């Protein structure tokens, strides 16, 4: 029996700028339903009318077959009086009182646009800014919501009649694609030397019908010249989607070394760009999951295992078995890579630890002395956003190392509502975040707050987010550490705005971040391992086994503190930690045998005796020290380098090693001294250092399993959350998850945010749930 109904459907999620309304329109017409669809500042609204069976079908397809880059968080449906409406239409966006996170992230070029980009008969053949509703810039160009052209930096370009026709055609792939443009009406590129002199002069304008071809030829010459300069060994600054990048050929030692020298980046790996996934396979091993990531609309940098004897300079990623690989995610990158035809270094355009440049003039100023030439364009970048970095462990666990382009500003959806609040994150790998009802929105990766430029970017991100989402925070949330720039900033604005300040312990924030993204509100055993975090007692923590209940935590186990001889200097000169571990373990002679060649050994040993050190229980420091004792790495030129190289050493072993070292646990303190004694014994017995590394990792798994099991018996809890920078270690993560699951534990990790300090701001805000504020 025919039963006519009218439904109001409210769809919340990433549904703007991703072709969602055309999808709804086509679906409704196919099912012969009446009504309308519209955007507003909170999501998409649909009023749809017709046969109830057809309406049920409409809702099912809406949920299951929406555009791939769209993401539905929830759907609310209620019945409305029928209007006997037969036609279905798209109506103009409205702006409500609330602003919820509906802006999509920047999306990699889609297959349709890629085909058009390389089709000579297409109007946008070779146009470096081709895009549609399924791809192109979003977050990097948007100034306000709703996401319409007038609220983006594309408002500076008036659409030509051809683009406008496509933009207004519901059947067209570019219907309401806000950055839509072509040769006639869109942005353009220029290649300049460091004195801002163009290398390719634009041709004089000709007849209108010839102008398009002239512009195309001009762009071809610019791209070909840029490719030629790269192949000649020059360093080029290229303005991308979220900022400038520095590129050079990746197969030439002297070129890559020169980039390191100019960029002041000693050993931290550079990312590489390849023409396509097929080319990557000639250089690296690829799993299906890694291929899927590379080809996705996120298109991040993916850390991949190198093949042997590849034509890539060893200076790209020194002593590192992995390469950070990406494929061209913008049309500009795409046409350039087709001309270059070899892998190139593609790294953020900055001095190390500073934010990337986004403005043309800023680039000429800040990159003076770094870049030889500049490939720029005139589409304004509203906010900087780096490339995201992801890795997939051998066990298939995905770990986000840096969350930026493609992910931001995707919100974390909670099952509970939080007050409007601002979290300022930590000091290293900083992100900020805001809470809006049941959403938490993290900023893009800002970086280490150790330079003036980084602090400016931090403050700008806060202002942007508060304005962007139109909120006045009821609370400011920060770390406990009194010396963090972020904490000091939070204290300052808390006083200025008369807003309560809530401080959350660093390692508790790590575990809360896992609880937030997994929507865990019950009890949890948290294992929070990193290098450094300010403890409740003012000491340096970092090997925390905590029990979380009722939104507070109890610290139960941690490592015996490790002396950092010379304080923070030991974090970079990790041999100091190796010396301290040995002397503390009554192995001073071995310390002299291993480190006696170091010029200041006697001075460091004397400093230890005089107690000129700071104690740290950071697990990351133990990894650093063991790496140094084994002669793998005595220096960390970037955060965690020595610990990373200890992990990499383990991959060299061909043996299935299950042995562990002995250790003691007394008064809930894990004493590592027997581990160090065991390592020295193995060194003397000639056990290869790669096997010692595996044995050490096995020991860390055993330590965690033993402590977690003990807490579980006492607290009657089977939920385990793992977070902190140490859990970027693939070997540790895979073994640990496998063994804990075998023991019947439910294991949760960070999958939507990094386990490093990039996820701290999420945990800080989640602390507001259930507080009596």
């Amino acid at each position: 029996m025919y039963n006519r109904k009218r439904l109001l459907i409210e769809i919340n999620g990433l549904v703007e700028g991703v072709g969602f309304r055309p999808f709804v329109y086509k679906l409704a017409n196919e099912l012969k339903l009446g009504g309308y669809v519209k955007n507003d500042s909170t999501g998409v609204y649909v009023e749809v009318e017709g046969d109830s069976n057809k309406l049920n079908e409409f809702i099912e397809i809406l949920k299951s077959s929406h555009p791939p880059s769209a993401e539905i968080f929830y759907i609310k449906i209620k019945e409305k009086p029928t209007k006997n409406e037969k036609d279905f239409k798209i109506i103009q966006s409205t702006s409500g009182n609330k602003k919820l996170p509906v802006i999509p992230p920047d999306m990699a070029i889609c297959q349709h646009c890629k085909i058009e980009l390389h089709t000579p008969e297409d109007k946008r053949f070779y146009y470096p800014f081709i895009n549609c509703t399924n791809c192109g810039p979003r977050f990097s160009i948007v100034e306000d919501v709703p996401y319409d052209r007038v609220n983006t930096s594309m408002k500076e370009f008036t659409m030509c009649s051809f683009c406008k026709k496509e933009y207004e055609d519901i059947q067209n792939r570019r219907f309401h694609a806000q950055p839509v443009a072509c040769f006639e009406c869109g942005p353009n590129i220029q290649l300049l030397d460091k004195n801002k002199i163009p290398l390719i002069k634009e041709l004089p304008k000709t007849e209108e019908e010839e102008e398009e071809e002239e512009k195309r030829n001009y762009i071809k010459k610019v791209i070909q010249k840029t490719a030629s300069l790269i192949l000649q060994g020059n360093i080029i600054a290229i303005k991308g989607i979220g900022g400038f990048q520095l590129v050079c050929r990746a197969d030439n030692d002297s070129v890559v070394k020169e980039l390191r020298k100019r960029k002041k980046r000693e050993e931290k790996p550079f990312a590489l760009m390849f023409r396509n996934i097929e080319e990557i396979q000639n250089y690296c091993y690829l799993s299906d999951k890694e291929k899927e990531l590379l080809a996705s609309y996120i298109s991040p940098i993916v850390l991949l295992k190198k093949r042997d004897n590849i034509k890539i300079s060893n200076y790209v990623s020194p002593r590192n078995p992995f390469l950070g690989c990406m494929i061209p995610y913008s049309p500009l990158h795409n046409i350039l890579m087709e001309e270059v035809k070899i892998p190139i270094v593609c790294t953020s355009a900055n001095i190390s630890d500073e934010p990337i440049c986004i403005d043309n003039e800023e680039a000429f100023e800040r990159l003076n002395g770094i870049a030889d030439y500049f490939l720029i364009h005139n589409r304004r970048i509203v906010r900087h956003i780096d490339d995201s970095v992801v890795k997939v462990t051998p066990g298939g666990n995905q770990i986000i190392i840096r969350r930026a382009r493609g992910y931001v500003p995707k919100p974390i959806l909670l099952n509970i509502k939080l007050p409007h609040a601002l979290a300022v994150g930590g000091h290293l790998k900083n992100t900020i975040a805001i809470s809006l009802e049941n959403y938490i929105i993290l900023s893009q990766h800002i970086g280490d707050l150790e330079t003036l430029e980084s602090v400016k970017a931090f403050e700008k991100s806060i202002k942007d987010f508060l304005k962007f989402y139109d909120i006045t925070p009821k609370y400011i949330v920060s770390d406990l550490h009194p010396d963090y720039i972020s904490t000091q900033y939070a204290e300052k604005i808390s006083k200025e705005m008369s807003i309560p300040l809530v401080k959350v312990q660093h390692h508790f924030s790590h575990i809360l971040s896992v609880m937030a993204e997994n929507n865990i509100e019950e009890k949890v055993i948290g294992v929070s391992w990193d290098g450094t975090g300010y403890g409740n007692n003012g000491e340096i923590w970092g090997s925390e086994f905590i029990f979380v209940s009722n939104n507070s935590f109890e610290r139960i186990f941690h490592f015996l503190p490790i002396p950092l001889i010379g304080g923070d200097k030991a974090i970079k000169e990790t041999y100091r930690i190796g010396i301290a571990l040995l002397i503390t373990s009554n192995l001073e002679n071995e310390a002299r045998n291993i480190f006696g060649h170091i010029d200041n050994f006697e001075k460091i040993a004397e400093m230890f005796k005089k107690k000129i050190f700071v104690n740290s229980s950071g697990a990351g420091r133990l990894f650093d020290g063991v790496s140094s004792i084994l002669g793998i790495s005595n220096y960390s030129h970037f955060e965690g380098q020595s610990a990373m190289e200890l992990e990499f050493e383990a991959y060299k072993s061909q043996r299935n090693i299950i042995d562990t070292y002995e250790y003691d646990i007394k008064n809930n303190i894990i004493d590592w001294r027997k581990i160090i004694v065991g390592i020295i014994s193995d060194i003397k017995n000639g056990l290869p250092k790669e096997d010692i590394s595996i044995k050490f990792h096995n020991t860390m798994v055993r330590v965690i399993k033993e402590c977690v099991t003990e807490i579980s018996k006492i607290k009657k809890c089977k939920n385990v959350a793992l977070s902190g920078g140490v859990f970027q270690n693939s070997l540790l993560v895979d073994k640990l998850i496998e063994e804990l699951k075998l023991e019947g534990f439910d294991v949760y990790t960070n999958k939507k945010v990094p386990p490093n300090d990039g996820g701290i701001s999420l945990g800080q805000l989640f602390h507001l749930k259930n507080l009596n504020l």
Side-chain angles (χ1 to χ4, degrees):
M1 182 180 173
Y2 183 78
N3 181 15
R4 190 173 186 83
K5 285 184 178 179
R6 186 178 183 90
L7 301 177
L8 171 61
I9 305 173
E10 179 187 344
I11 305 160
N12 209 274
L14 292 175
V15 288
E16 283 195 48
V18 291
F20 199 86
R21 285 178 299 164
F23 160 71
V24 172
Y25 173 87
K26 290 172 186 175
L27 178 59
N29 279 294
E30 284 171 10
L31 296 174
K32 296 182 168 44
L33 300 171
Y36 69 85
V37 60
K38 72 171 183 177
N39 279 345
D40 81 351
S41 56
T42 65
V44 167
Y45 279 77
V46 183
E47 279 202 32
V48 61
E49 182 173 341
D51 174 62
S52 59
N53 290 328
K54 292 289 186 184
L55 289 174
N56 289 336
E57 187 179 352
F58 176 82
I59 292 166
E60 285 305 310
I61 295 174
L62 201 66
K63 292 177 179 177
S64 62
S65 301
H66 55 70
S69 51
E71 191 173 337
I72 295 175
F73 299 145
Y74 64 81
I75 295 179
K76 292 180 182 177
I77 303 171
K78 67 178 180 181
E79 201 162 331
K80 299 268 287 184
T82 59
K83 296 182 180 178
N84 202 33
E85 194 171 4
K86 301 291 176 64
D87 295 328
F88 194 90
K89 55 188 178 292
I90 294 179
I91 64 174
Q92 190 173 354
S93 301
T94 58
S95 185
N97 293 325
K98 295 189 294 183
K99 290 188 179 181
L100 293 179
V102 293
I103 298 301
D106 301 287
M107 295 181 285
I109 182 171
C110 70
Q111 282 304 117
H112 288 105
C113 283
K114 200 179 288 187
I115 290 168
E116 291 174 352
L117 182 66
H118 295 287
T119 301
E121 296 76 26
D122 194 271
K123 180 177 175 65
R124 295 186 180 85
F125 168 55
Y126 221 80
Y127 184 57
F129 302 96
I130 190 171
N131 68 87
C132 68
T133 52
N134 298 318
C135 66
R138 299 292 191 270
F139 181 63
S140 60
I141 63 169
V142 72
E143 297 173 324
D144 205 350
V145 291
Y147 174 64
D148 287 327
R149 192 174 178 110
V150 293
N151 291 327
T152 74
S153 58
M154 282 300 295
K155 67 188 175 187
E156 294 154 18
F157 300 92
T158 303
M159 276 186 277
C160 65
S161 57
F162 180 86
C163 288
K164 191 170 184 182
K165 184 179 178 183
E166 288 189 325
Y167 179 85
E168 293 174 347
D169 180 3
I170 184 64
Q171 301 294 341
N172 194 284
R173 200 174 83 253
R174 293 188 172 87
F175 175 74
H176 283 202
Q178 306 308 338
V180 69
C182 70
F183 289 101
E184 186 179 339
C185 63
N188 202 353
I189 62 173
Q190 265 189 308
L191 177 62
L192 309 172
D193 67 15
K194 50 193 171 186
N195 297 314
K196 304 181 187 178
I197 298 171
L199 272 70
I200 307 292
K201 292 184 179 179
E202 288 195 66
L203 295 171
K205 289 189 177 181
T206 57
E207 294 297 322
E208 191 173 332
E209 61 269 18
E210 297 176 5
E211 189 174 337
E212 183 179 300
E213 193 58 33
E214 293 291 353
K215 287 184 177 178
R216 182 178 288 112
N217 288 335
Y218 165 75
I219 287 172
K220 280 185 178 180
K221 288 179 181 178
V222 167
I223 295 298
Q224 287 166 354
K225 182 63 176 176
T226 304
S228 173
L229 290 169
I230 292 170
L231 293 172
Q232 288 166 24
N234 291 285
I235 296 167
I236 316 292
I238 297 177
K239 188 177 183 182
I241 286 180
F244 277 80
Q245 296 162 315
L246 293 167
V247 310
C248 67
R249 61 185 305 154
D251 60 351
N252 186 298
D253 284 352
S254 62
V255 173
V256 179
K257 283 170 72 176
E258 183 62 23
L259 177 59
R260 287 202 174 279
K261 178 183 170 184
R262 294 185 193 181
K263 193 173 154 68
K264 298 180 183 175
R265 182 163 167 165
E266 291 178 79
E267 293 190 343
K268 190 174 182 180
F270 286 135
L272 299 178
M273 184 172 280
F274 296 80
R275 276 182 289 173
N276 47 46
I277 291 174
E278 290 70 32
E279 186 176 54
I280 292 178
Q281 287 182 302
N282 294 328
Y283 294 83
C284 300
Y285 298 98
L286 266 169
S287 68
D288 289 343
K289 197 167 184 178
E290 288 163 340
K291 288 179 189 175
E292 187 181 324
L293 267 171
L294 285 164
S296 70
Y297 74 86
I298 297 167
S299 194
I301 297 167
V302 181
L303 303 184
L304 302 172
K305 183 81 163 52
K306 295 178 190 175
R307 293 185 183 274
D308 295 330
N309 303 316
I310 54 174
K311 291 183 179 179
I312 296 291
S313 168
N314 288 328
Y315 293 99
V316 167
S317 56
R319 300 186 306 284
N320 189 326
F322 295 91
L323 290 175
C325 303
M326 59 180 154
I327 59 175
Y329 55 83
S330 79
L332 179 59
H333 288 117
N334 202 281
I335 56 178
L336 177 63
M337 289 304 294
E338 286 302 317
E339 293 290 343
V340 176
K341 292 184 169 59
I342 62 168
I344 61 171
V345 170
C346 188
T347 185
S348 303
N350 56 6
I351 299 290
S352 282
D353 299 326
E354 289 187 356
I356 54 175
C357 302
I358 61 172
D359 178 75
N360 292 339
E361 288 303 315
E362 174 200 15
F364 279 104
E365 183 180 335
R366 286 177 56 199
L367 302 178
N368 181 31
I370 302 178
D372 298 310
Y373 299 95
F374 294 76
L375 180 61
I376 67 171
H377 61 72
N378 58 340
R379 182 175 65 202
R380 186 165 51 87
I381 299 172
V382 175
R383 62 186 54 78
H384 84 278
I385 187 158
D386 287 274
D387 298 314
S388 294
V389 182
V390 183
K391 74 172 174 177
V392 179
T393 69
N397 295 295
Q398 185 173 311
I399 301 172
I400 298 177
I401 307 297
R402 183 169 72 197
R403 187 177 185 269
R405 178 184 53 76
Y407 289 104
V408 177
K410 274 188 182 181
I412 307 298
L413 181 65
L414 308 178
N415 290 336
I416 56 171
K417 289 189 176 182
L418 296 177
H420 288 183
L422 164 70
V424 296
H427 182 69
L428 301 178
K429 297 179 171 62
N430 179 269
T431 62
I432 61 107
I434 59 168
S435 51
L436 283 163
E437 300 186 5
N438 60 328
Y439 295 99
I440 293 178
I441 308 103
L442 275 73
S443 74
Q444 69 276 34
H445 168 84
I446 295 168
D448 301 349
L449 301 183
E450 295 186 334
T451 66
L452 180 60
E453 292 295 335
S454 298
V455 174
K456 283 180 182 176
F458 164 76
E459 293 178 352
K460 183 180 185 302
S461 295
I462 290 172
K463 288 173 184 174
D464 276 357
F465 265 54
L466 295 181
K467 178 193 169 191
F468 197 67
Y469 295 103
D470 194 24
I471 72 163
T472 300
K474 294 182 179 178
Y475 302 95
I476 309 290
V477 194
S478 78
D479 195 270
L480 280 181
H481 203 304
D483 296 332
Y484 279 4
I485 295 291
S486 55
T487 304
Q488 293 169 358
Y489 182 86
E491 290 169 343
K492 176 174 170 280
I493 61 171
S494 169
K495 287 177 183 175
E496 289 175 354
M497 301 173 71
S498 298
I499 298 172
L501 174 62
V502 178
K503 294 187 178 183
V504 188
Q505 199 278 324
H506 189 87
H507 302 96
F508 186 28
S509 292
H510 272 309
I511 300 306
L512 287 168
S513 73
V514 179
M515 295 176 72
E517 61 172 278
N518 290 282
N519 274 297
I520 303 170
E521 295 180 56
E522 53 203 278
K523 299 173 181 178
V524 161
I525 299 166
V527 185
S528 184
W529 279 17
D530 60 11
T532 300
Y534 192 80
N536 283 351
N537 57 3
E539 295 176 355
I540 301 173
W541 291 5
S543 54
E544 311 316 304
F545 291 85
I546 64 176
F547 179 65
V548 178
S549 176
N550 298 320
N551 210 26
S552 62
F553 76 94
E554 176 186 355
R555 186 191 195 204
I556 299 178
F557 293 104
H558 61 85
F559 277 129
L560 178 75
I562 297 166
L564 303 184
I565 303 172
D568 285 349
K569 210 168 186 182
I571 296 172
K572 293 186 177 180
E573 297 175 1
T574 50
Y575 65 84
R576 292 170 179 260
I577 302 174
I579 292 169
L581 292 178
L582 290 168
I583 297 177
T584 305
S585 303
N586 296 316
L587 296 167
E588 187 170 349
N589 286 338
E590 282 71 14
R592 183 166 276 101
N593 290 338
I594 293 171
F595 296 106
H597 66 283
I598 293 173
D599 290 342
N600 59 348
F601 172 79
E602 295 299 339
K603 180 182 175 182
I604 290 169
E606 188 65 24
M607 288 171 71
F608 179 87
K609 289 172 185 173
K610 291 181 178 178
K611 299 192 175 180
I612 304 174
F613 56 73
V614 176
N615 276 322
S616 165
S617 60
R621 302 289 83 90
L622 183 60
F623 282 74
D624 288 341
V626 169
S627 180
S628 178
I629 289 169
L630 291 177
I632 296 167
S633 174
N634 281 333
Y635 298 89
S636 280
H637 297 288
F638 57 91
E639 190 191 11
Q641 182 183 5
S642 292
M644 284 169 54
E645 292 188 12
L646 177 65
E647 176 193 351
F648 299 156
E649 192 68 30
Y651 298 141
K652 298 176 183 177
S653 177
Q654 302 298 314
R655 300 172 60 201
N656 180 27
I657 295 170
I658 59 172
D659 295 340
T660 60
Y661 293 108
E662 291 304 310
Y663 55 86
D664 290 322
I665 301 179
K666 294 178 182 177
N667 300 319
N668 290 19
I669 295 175
I670 305 152
D671 190 336
W672 40 260
R673 286 176 292 185
K674 283 186 178 178
I675 297 174
I676 304 304
V677 170
I679 287 172
I680 292 299
S681 176
D682 279 346
I683 291 172
K684 288 179 177 178
N685 290 329
L687 189 68
K689 55 189 174 184
E690 58 263 34
D691 293 348
I692 295 174
S693 177
I694 292 180
K695 198 170 169 182
F696 174 76
H697 279 84
N698 290 345
T699 307
M700 295 299 99
V701 171
R702 181 178 150 203
V703 166
I704 293 172
K705 189 166 74 169
E706 182 177 340
C707 292
V708 163
T709 302
E710 184 63 25
I711 297 170
S712 176
K713 287 177 185 174
I714 298 167
K715 301 297 185 180
K716 311 298 181 191
C717 177
K718 300 297 283 187
N719 291 330
V720 180
L722 310 173
S723 190
V726 171
F727 292 109
Q728 293 172 127
N729 181 316
S730 300
L731 185 61
L732 184 69
V733 166
D734 282 350
K735 286 191 174 190
L736 186 55
I737 290 175
E738 181 184 3
E739 296 218 11
L740 287 175
K741 284 185 175 179
L742 284 173
E743 297 296 322
F745 289 102
D746 294 317
V747 186
Y748 300 93
T749 58
N750 292 111
K751 296 188 185 301
K752 297 176 183 176
V753 301
N756 60 45
D757 286 5
I760 284 286
S761 58
L762 170 61
Q764 289 174 341
L765 285 179
F766 197 62
H767 183 54
L768 297 179
K769 67 181 177 68
N770 305 328
L771 278 185
N772 296 317
L773 298 172

